[in-house]
Amino acid sequence: MGPFDVPLDDERTQLDAFVEEYRGALEATLDGLTEEQTRRRLVPSATTLLGLLKHVTWMQRVWFEECVGGTSRRDLGLVQSPEASFRLADEDTVASVTAAHRDACAKARALVADLPLDTVVTGHRTGPRTLRWVYLQVLRELAHHCGHADILREQLLAAD
């Protein structure tokens, strides 16, 4: 079910649908590309298609597992900064990063399943937030990075 198929008075289902749409859209930017293409740097920053998926995996773990779930980044085994979350290890592949993303999404769904949007969560270092705020932040990040990924994919396909 897409975001436009949800009744307008069902805010939670709408937020879930939009988040799921962008999660899938970001993964889809890797479809049909080689490992080398997904790692290729086309901009001065460390941003690559595979690095974007690794970053949004980290970002969702921060907002859902740390902020909502209350487990620290250190205990989750996460890098401490957003910049570091883009860096690819030699063993990172499209399959492994996609699997990690899907695992993070499944954990996120489970953590929020029974929580109302007005629930105040306190696990983030910047202070309490409502679950609604967390959803909007995650949606903002996903949409932002989907735009980056679309442009990188377009550049890769034009170059090869």
Side-chain angles (χ1 to χ4, degrees):
M1 176 180 305
F4 296 105
D5 302 320
V6 177
L8 293 177
D9 61 348
D10 189 349
E11 181 184 18
R12 177 60 174 270
T13 305
Q14 287 177 344
L15 287 170
D16 283 331
F18 276 114
V19 167
E20 291 301 330
E21 178 182 24
Y22 281 113
R23 284 171 170 162
L26 195 54
E27 282 189 19
T29 63
L30 303 177
D31 288 351
L33 299 178
T34 66
E35 294 288 337
E36 183 278 326
Q37 287 173 310
T38 67
R39 290 173 156 275
R40 193 180 304 166
R41 290 177 65 174
L42 301 170
V43 293
S45 72
T47 305
T48 63
L49 278 176
L50 193 58
L52 280 168
L53 187 59
K54 188 170 183 177
H55 168 71
V56 300
T57 300
W58 174 87
M59 176 272 297
Q60 291 181 86
R61 293 193 69 198
V62 165
W63 287 112
F64 291 113
E65 295 176 50
E66 180 182 40
C67 184
V68 177
T71 305
S72 72
R73 290 177 197 190
R74 187 171 318 285
D75 289 344
L76 291 168
L78 296 175
V79 296
Q80 295 299 305
S81 72
E83 295 78 22
S85 71
F86 282 90
R87 292 190 198 116
L88 296 171
D90 289 343
E91 64 272 9
D92 286 332
T93 64
V94 171
S96 70
V97 175
T98 299
H101 180 249
R102 291 178 181 172
D103 182 60
C105 294
K107 286 178 183 170
R109 285 184 209 101
L111 281 166
V112 302
D114 298 323
L115 299 176
L117 290 174
D118 292 329
T119 300
V120 175
V121 295
T122 59
H124 197 265
R125 62 179 78 180
T126 59
R129 304 277 187 256
T130 63
L131 182 59
R132 178 180 287 103
W133 190 97
V134 171
Y135 262 92
L136 292 172
Q137 172 63 16
V138 168
L139 183 58
R140 183 183 74 82
E141 286 252 359
L142 287 168
H144 181 75
H145 293 307
C146 274
H148 294 147
D150 285 342
I151 291 168
L152 291 176
R153 182 178 173 87
E154 185 177 327
Q155 288 179 309
L156 285 166
L157 293 175
D160 291 337

